[in-house]
Amino acid sequence: MFSRWNWVACGFCLVLNICSPDASGGLVQSCGHIIPESPVLALGSNFTALCILNESCPDFGNIYASQIIWKIKNRVVPKEQYREINRTVSSVTFNDTSLLATPLTCNILEDGQIEQNIYGITVTVGLAPEKPKNLSCIVHQMSRFTYVMTCTWDPGRHTFLDTQFRLRYRWPEEIFPDCIPKDVNNSCTVTDIQFFVNTEIWVEATNVLGKAESDPLVVDPINIVKPLSPQNVSVSSGLLPTILKLSWENWISNAVMTLKFNIRYRIVDDTDWMEVPSEDTASPRTSFSVQGLRPYTEYVFSIRCMKEDGVGYWSDWSEEKTGITTEDLPSKGPPIWRIIDKSHSPACWTVHLIWKALKPFEANGVILQYEVTVRDKSSLSSPVKKYNVTSTNYTLQLQEGTYEVTLIARNSVGVSPPSVLLIPASNSKAPVKNLRTLPKHDKLWVGWTAPNSYVLRYVIEWCLVSSSSDCIIEWQIAPGDVQGVELKGIKPFKCYLITVYPLYADGQGTGQSVKAYLKQDRPSKGPTVQTKKVGKAEAVLTWNHLTVEEQNGFIRNYTILYKTIDGNETVVTVDPSKTEYTLSSLASDTLYTVRMMASTDNGSRTGPDFTFTTQKFGKGEIEAIVVPVCLAFLLIVLLGVLFCFNKRDLIKKHIWPIVPDPSKSNIAQWSPQVPAKHNFNSKDQMYPEGSFTDVSVVEIEAEDKKSFSEQDLKPFDLLKKEKSTSEGHSSGIGGSSCMSSPRQSVSDSDEGETTQNTSSTVQYSTVVLNGYRDQTPVQVFSRSESTQPLLDSEERPEDHAGGADSPAQRQQYFRQNGGQDEINTDRPCFERTKQITHANEGDLVGFVQLQISGQSSQPLGLGMEKNTQEAALSNVLQTYTEGQTVRPETVEENPLSVDEMPKSYLPQTVRQGGYMPQ
Amino acid sequence: MAAADSPSAALRRRDLCSRGIRLAGKMRADVVDLLDAYVEQQGLDASASVAVEGVPLAAVERWDEQTGTQRLLENLAAYRAFRALLAQMLEEQREQLGEADAGLGRALAAVLLQVSAFAYHLEELLRLESRGVPGEEEDGPPPPPRLGLFEQKLRGLGVLRELAQWAVRSVRDLRQLAKPSPATGAAPALAESP
């Protein structure tokens, strides 16, 4: 039976051996191994490993320890660290495990050079755990009956190894389960905490390299409790306006521990907390009345607790609860001030009473109304006026005088103490002295020196100075014993006008003002400069002051910077009060660029560039050149005139040829064809177009041509007589240079028919003004106005002008008509009898030719009044009309009517020195 | 006696008494709360009168005539008995309800811990009086007999009620022990303490 089981067993083993041929040596035949296998080493310690070879290695044959090479992560370990223990065992030693790396392999050199790995191990290097330190525990109350204890500690250095921490605690005779932290290594929370028993608590740290325990902490958990904060806190107002009562519930029963409390509170808009003295709340309680509060003020309360004996931890602060105290009387009267408007009438004031609403802690409730009482102190009989106002201002119309204004504020509980403001008739008291300002952080401090008299209080007014809007006054009152206040709400970079008034018991001092900035900046823009006047070497610059909004500070100075295009910039500093400056020493005819910079204490700002060019010549230079030149010219002209005057005979000889004297002529010398030639005095021939633009010819027709010749002798006789008495009154062909010859000129008609047949009409002369230059000396006679009477035999019918009643009437006049006449009347004229050379012949615009028969005419001066001339003409015309036929033959291109003509025909006297006929 | 004479021993005793009093007070509060939960959870009548055998009674005649040591010994014997009873109750509770009512089990375990802690306080006080602490085996009550389910509930109610009574008495006993006046303490050892 036994042998049969043996055979079965052997057969089973055989099957196993067949199925597992390498059951004894494994599937891979190892040629050696390393001791120790995968060690964990302390960092910094020494380490020795052994490589043990199998003597018969199927793969490599016989191998020996001398062939072994140790490697650390493919790096060969120096041979010095090897030691051949025997033929098959080699060791390697590392003095410092920090130099180790993994894996550590044992290798052999086969066939001299081929390296084959025999075995390898993984080396783990780390540290033993340090002793945990700073163990502390706190018991948190989670609910009314639930407490947990959380302990924390310092785990020490990192071990590089898996290290387990556990919190252990025990009673002397009872050990509790360990607390193993999750995910952390420095804290753990215990849930089954029992109070009033000293508990020993410690921490144990363990890894493969060792174990360490912290110092034990022995504590009664009741002494490390952080309780829950009181709950259901409520606030209720009491009977007094300064008390609020707090009530709450505690989470912890007195059986566990008794509590003390902290109560803090603050006004709802404040951030600073106040605390009830801790000794007042050091005993267990569930309510407390907080006293000393402000009336009608909303407070926020919060409370916390801890173990009564102070051992343990304070709870968190409870949720905040608010409560409002009840109202009380206003504690003070509102500060009051006034603004008096006397602009309408100095005797009738518009008084704006303004006051500040009481602060909440002063109002002690809701102010329902203000009661204003005004009493005229200058008139005791005047009734006291009362006004109820709900706003904080009131406007009164008052006569000039002294008034006492009383203001009280009323709330639901009662009225405030009165505020009294005295409005004197004049602010004649002493003002404050040495008013000054100083920025202090975000406030502007205003200081002054008090007057010598006792001051009740000061009123400080201030307003933002603006160029675009009125100054809106803000104000505040300071007690009389201070000499400075801080103004709030002052904006930086803005100009403020600050005025301080001292208020006395019997009056008011005059206000002292100062301008101030809380903070200055550089101007927001620079001045815009331009030139007012530019000269050769100077330029007057003008600019406007910056507006107060643009200044951002006190303008300390202006700086003018100017330069030429390629020149250096010149800088000039100008007083800030000026708006004009003259740049001097500039180069002439040069382009300058100028800009202007305004500076405050905190910087400067430059305005836009402006360019101008200086002038080439200075003032008076042109005059200095032109005037001498003109003077020189005039001098030359004058010299020329003088020269000409001195040489006038010579010049006359060349310019005015000597006209033959008819007195020396004889009739035989008169050419018979003269009359025929004389016909040229028909209008077309005598005054060809282009020579005259306006010619008037007055033709006086004689009634009987036949009687003409017969009656002519008489006038000629008379003429002889006249010649003897008035030589200057001869008719001339040229007239005066101003065409206002006193001689009458008589011309024939257009038809060339001079039919002056009256006995008094004699053709005395014929005037051809423009033709004389072309005349031959022979023709001169026709224009000669000889005073010699013509012989009868010499006289031709055509030459007979109308007979004149007197020699004077025989005179003929001609003169230029039109406006020229008026001008020339004021000028000295040269009278000529034989030939007229008009200096400006081309300027003639009109010509009047007149034939006068039997008309007496007195020569008149050239300066005769116009009306005189008109009257004379009128007489002439009237005479013509009555005694003769006077017909205006042609009036061409001359708009003057006959009535306007007389000036042209007025007889003119020969002035003294005038040109006398020769 | 020598130990009691030293200042540190006196402080230690005062500390033990103080914390013992507060522990007893908390234990009473917890037991009262536990009683309510227990009655409700077990479906019992809170007003039911229960007399359970094996539960030490707190009431004693001539309490004020007891010595300090005597008070400590009686307290220690009672709380050791309660410790055993509560441990049994906790085991029975787990058997009955499993983890269904973990809160009641935790409360029982907490009271059990407090009973153990109080017993430890008493032992420490006895050691301070240089009195040997009696062994539990010789003074401990016999293991309670196995009872039916309802009887277990009633016995549990009785244990908790009596424990609450003992907590009150223990507070009074420890306060008596903590009094410095020798006249109030019949026990010489305690009378000598400061």
Side-chain angles (χ1 to χ4, degrees), chain A residues 877-906:
Chain A
L877 290 176
Q878 191 174 5
T879 307
Y880 292 163
T881 307
E882 289 174 355
Q884 301 174 5
T885 300
V886 179
R887 180 175 59 87
E889 184 177 328
T890 303
V891 180
E892 293 179 1
E893 298 179 33
N894 188 349
L896 292 176
S897 62
V898 175
D899 294 338
E900 294 169 332
M901 296 300 290
K903 287 188 286 187
S904 301
Y905 305 101
L906 281 177

Coordinates of all heavy atoms in Angstrom, one line a residue, chain A residues 877-906:
Chain A
L877 N -26.8 189.1 -69.2 CA -27.8 188.4 -70.0 C -29.1 189.2 -70.1 O -29.7 189.2 -71.2 CB -28.2 187.0 -69.3 CG -27.0 186.0 -69.4 CD1 -27.4 184.8 -68.6 CD2 -26.7 185.7 -70.9
Q878 N -29.4 189.9 -69.1 CA -30.6 190.7 -69.2 C -30.4 191.8 -70.2 O -31.3 192.1 -71.0 CB -30.9 191.3 -67.8 CG -32.3 191.9 -67.7 CD -32.6 192.4 -66.3 OE1 -31.7 192.3 -65.4 NE2 -33.8 192.9 -66.1
T879 N -29.3 192.3 -70.2 CA -29.0 193.4 -71.1 C -29.1 192.8 -72.5 O -29.6 193.4 -73.4 CB -27.6 193.9 -70.9 OG1 -27.6 194.4 -69.5 CG2 -27.3 195.1 -71.8
Y880 N -28.5 191.6 -72.7 CA -28.5 191.0 -74.0 C -30.0 190.8 -74.5 O -30.3 191.0 -75.6 CB -27.8 189.7 -74.0 CG -26.3 189.8 -73.8 CD1 -25.5 188.7 -73.5 CD2 -25.7 191.0 -74.1 CE1 -24.2 188.8 -73.3 CE2 -24.3 191.2 -73.9 CZ -23.6 190.1 -73.5 OH -22.3 190.2 -73.4
T881 N -30.7 190.3 -73.6 CA -32.1 190.0 -73.9 C -32.9 191.2 -74.3 O -33.7 191.2 -75.3 CB -32.8 189.3 -72.8 OG1 -32.0 188.2 -72.4 CG2 -34.1 188.8 -73.1
E882 N -32.6 192.3 -73.6 CA -33.4 193.5 -73.9 C -32.9 194.2 -75.2 O -33.7 194.6 -76.0 CB -33.3 194.4 -72.7 CG -34.0 193.9 -71.5 CD -33.8 194.8 -70.3 OE1 -33.0 195.7 -70.4 OE2 -34.4 194.5 -69.3
G883 N -31.7 194.4 -75.2 CA -31.2 195.2 -76.3 C -30.7 194.4 -77.5 O -30.6 195.0 -78.6
Q884 N -30.4 193.2 -77.3 CA -29.7 192.5 -78.4 C -30.3 191.1 -78.5 O -31.1 190.7 -77.6 CB -28.2 192.3 -78.1 CG -27.6 193.7 -78.1 CD -26.2 193.5 -77.7 OE1 -25.7 192.4 -77.5 NE2 -25.5 194.7 -77.4
T885 N -30.0 190.4 -79.5 CA -30.4 189.1 -79.6 C -29.2 188.2 -79.2 O -28.2 188.1 -79.8 CB -30.8 188.7 -81.0 OG1 -31.9 189.5 -81.4 CG2 -31.2 187.3 -81.1
V886 N -29.4 187.6 -78.1 CA -28.3 186.8 -77.6 C -28.8 185.4 -77.7 O -29.8 185.0 -77.1 CB -28.0 187.1 -76.1 CG1 -26.9 186.2 -75.6 CG2 -27.6 188.6 -76.0
R887 N -28.1 184.6 -78.4 CA -28.5 183.2 -78.6 C -27.4 182.2 -78.3 O -26.3 182.3 -78.9 CB -28.9 183.0 -80.1 CG -29.4 181.6 -80.4 CD -29.9 181.6 -81.8 NE -28.9 182.0 -82.8 CZ -28.0 181.2 -83.3 NH1 -28.0 179.9 -82.9 NH2 -27.1 181.6 -84.2
P888 N -27.6 181.5 -77.4 CA -26.6 180.5 -77.2 C -26.6 179.5 -78.4 O -27.6 178.8 -78.6 CB -27.0 179.8 -75.9 CG -28.4 180.1 -75.7 CD -28.7 181.4 -76.5
E889 N -25.5 179.5 -79.0 CA -25.5 178.8 -80.3 C -25.2 177.3 -80.0 O -26.0 176.5 -80.5 CB -24.4 179.3 -81.2 CG -24.4 178.7 -82.5 CD -23.3 179.3 -83.4 OE1 -23.1 180.5 -83.2 OE2 -22.7 178.6 -84.2
T890 N -24.2 177.1 -79.3 CA -23.9 175.6 -79.1 C -23.5 175.4 -77.6 O -22.7 176.2 -77.1 CB -22.7 175.2 -80.0 OG1 -23.1 175.5 -81.3 CG2 -22.4 173.8 -79.8
V891 N -24.1 174.5 -77.1 CA -23.7 174.0 -75.8 C -23.4 172.6 -75.9 O -24.4 171.8 -75.9 CB -24.7 174.4 -74.7 CG1 -24.2 173.9 -73.4 CG2 -25.0 175.8 -74.7
E892 N -22.2 172.2 -76.1 CA -21.9 170.8 -76.3 C -21.1 170.3 -75.1 O -20.1 170.8 -74.7 CB -21.1 170.7 -77.6 CG -21.8 171.0 -78.8 CD -21.0 170.9 -80.1 OE1 -19.8 170.5 -79.9 OE2 -21.5 171.1 -81.2
E893 N -21.5 169.2 -74.8 CA -20.8 168.4 -73.8 C -20.6 169.2 -72.5 O -19.7 168.8 -71.7 CB -19.4 167.9 -74.3 CG -19.6 167.0 -75.5 CD -18.2 166.6 -76.0 OE1 -17.3 166.4 -75.1 OE2 -18.0 166.3 -77.1
N894 N -21.3 170.2 -72.4 CA -21.2 170.9 -71.2 C -22.6 171.0 -70.5 O -23.5 171.6 -71.0 CB -20.8 172.4 -71.5 CG -20.5 173.1 -70.2 OD1 -20.8 172.7 -69.2 ND2 -19.9 174.3 -70.4
P895 N -22.7 170.3 -69.4 CA -24.0 170.2 -68.8 C -24.4 171.5 -68.2 O -25.6 171.6 -67.7 CB -23.8 169.0 -67.8 CG -22.4 169.1 -67.4 CD -21.7 169.5 -68.7
L896 N -23.6 172.4 -68.1 CA -24.0 173.6 -67.4 C -25.0 174.3 -68.2 O -24.9 174.5 -69.4 CB -22.8 174.5 -67.2 CG -21.7 174.0 -66.3 CD1 -20.5 175.0 -66.3 CD2 -22.2 173.8 -64.9
S897 N -26.0 174.8 -67.5 CA -27.1 175.6 -68.1 C -26.6 177.0 -68.3 O -25.5 177.4 -67.8 CB -28.3 175.5 -67.3 OG -28.0 176.1 -66.0
V898 N -27.4 177.7 -68.9 CA -27.0 179.1 -69.2 C -26.9 179.8 -67.9 O -26.1 180.7 -67.7 CB -28.1 179.7 -70.1 CG1 -27.8 181.2 -70.2 CG2 -28.1 179.0 -71.4
D899 N -27.8 179.5 -66.9 CA -27.8 180.2 -65.7 C -26.5 179.9 -64.9 O -26.1 180.7 -64.1 CB -29.0 179.7 -64.8 CG -30.3 180.1 -65.4 OD1 -30.2 181.1 -66.2 OD2 -31.3 179.5 -65.1
E900 N -25.9 178.8 -65.2 CA -24.7 178.4 -64.5 C -23.4 179.0 -65.2 O -22.4 179.0 -64.7 CB -24.5 176.9 -64.4 CG -25.6 176.3 -63.5 CD -25.6 174.8 -63.6 OE1 -25.2 174.3 -64.7 OE2 -26.0 174.2 -62.7
M901 N -23.7 179.5 -66.3 CA -22.5 179.9 -67.1 C -22.0 181.3 -66.7 O -20.8 181.5 -67.0 CB -22.9 180.0 -68.6 CG -23.3 178.7 -69.2 SD -21.9 177.5 -69.1 CE -20.9 178.3 -70.3
P902 N -22.7 182.1 -66.1 CA -22.2 183.5 -66.0 C -20.8 183.5 -65.4 O -20.1 184.4 -65.8 CB -23.2 184.1 -65.0 CG -24.5 183.4 -65.3 CD -24.1 182.0 -65.6
K903 N -20.4 182.7 -64.6 CA -19.1 182.8 -64.0 C -18.1 182.8 -65.2 O -17.1 183.4 -65.1 CB -18.8 181.6 -63.1 CG -19.5 181.6 -61.8 CD -19.0 180.6 -60.9 CE -19.6 179.2 -61.3 NZ -19.2 178.2 -60.3
S904 N -18.4 182.1 -66.2 CA -17.4 182.0 -67.3 C -17.3 183.3 -68.1 O -16.4 183.6 -68.7 CB -17.8 180.9 -68.2 OG -17.8 179.7 -67.5
Y905 N -18.3 184.1 -67.9 CA -18.4 185.3 -68.7 C -18.2 186.5 -67.9 O -18.4 187.6 -68.4 CB -19.7 185.3 -69.5 CG -19.9 184.1 -70.3 CD1 -20.7 183.1 -69.9 CD2 -19.1 183.9 -71.5 CE1 -20.9 182.0 -70.6 CE2 -19.3 182.8 -72.2 CZ -20.1 181.8 -71.8 OH -20.3 180.7 -72.5
L906 N -17.9 186.4 -66.6 CA -17.8 187.6 -65.8 C -16.6 188.3 -66.2 O -15.5 187.8 -66.5 CB -17.6 187.2 -64.3 CG -18.9 186.8 -63.6 CD1 -18.6 186.4 -62.2 CD2 -19.9 188.0 -63.6

